[in-house]
Amino acid sequence: MPATTITFQFKDGQPAQTHVAAAGESVLDVALNNAIQLQHNCGGVCGCSTCHVYVDRGGDDLPEISDKEEDFIDRAENPRITSRLACQCVVNAGMELVITIPPQHFLGH
């Protein structure tokens, strides 16, 4: 089976990072497993909007957005048409995602 890769880009100027993901992992899981700082106040259960990301490529391969996720994205800072919650972006084999992590300036608040 082809590997799934996720390239993380950062709005704060950090260099991009590409990591391999296992089928069934969320984008949030992959970020945290690779020491990428991505806030997740609710623990990754679609209970807040702090793990908000932009899916720049591969979004059509992700599970369809739920009404609950969409409601939380509406509360996120600077939502876009490509906005998703990283905890809800569960990957399958053979995907190639490019994810931009918005500034996490609200950390600690």
Side-chain angles (χ1 to χ4, degrees):
M1 274 191 168
T4 291
T5 60
I6 303 175
T7 299
F8 293 93
Q9 303 179 130
F10 306 91
K11 287 290 191 181
D12 66 3
Q14 294 179 60
Q17 299 180 31
T18 300
H19 298 284
V20 175
E25 283 188 300
S26 71
V27 170
L28 176 62
D29 294 332
V30 176
L32 297 178
N33 290 341
N34 289 284
I36 294 173
Q37 189 171 344
L38 181 55
Q39 188 63 278
H40 53 289
N41 287 350
C42 73
V45 297
C46 195
C48 68
S49 63
T50 58
C51 70
H52 168 241
V53 296
Y54 304 120
V55 180
D56 298 320
R57 189 170 58 214
D60 290 342
D61 296 328
L62 290 169
E64 190 173 325
I65 191 168
S66 69
D67 290 340
K68 182 177 179 181
E69 180 183 359
E70 202 162 12
D71 287 344
F72 281 114
I73 288 170
D74 287 342
R75 302 175 200 173
E77 192 171 317
N78 299 317
R80 299 180 186 165
I81 193 75
T82 60
S83 290
R84 292 293 303 263
L85 299 182
C87 68
Q88 298 301 294
C89 296
V90 177
V91 302
N92 292 309
M95 297 173 72
E96 291 183 24
L97 298 174
V98 177
I99 303 292
T100 298
I101 297 178
Q104 300 280 291
H105 60 79
F106 56 85
L107 292 175
H109 294 118

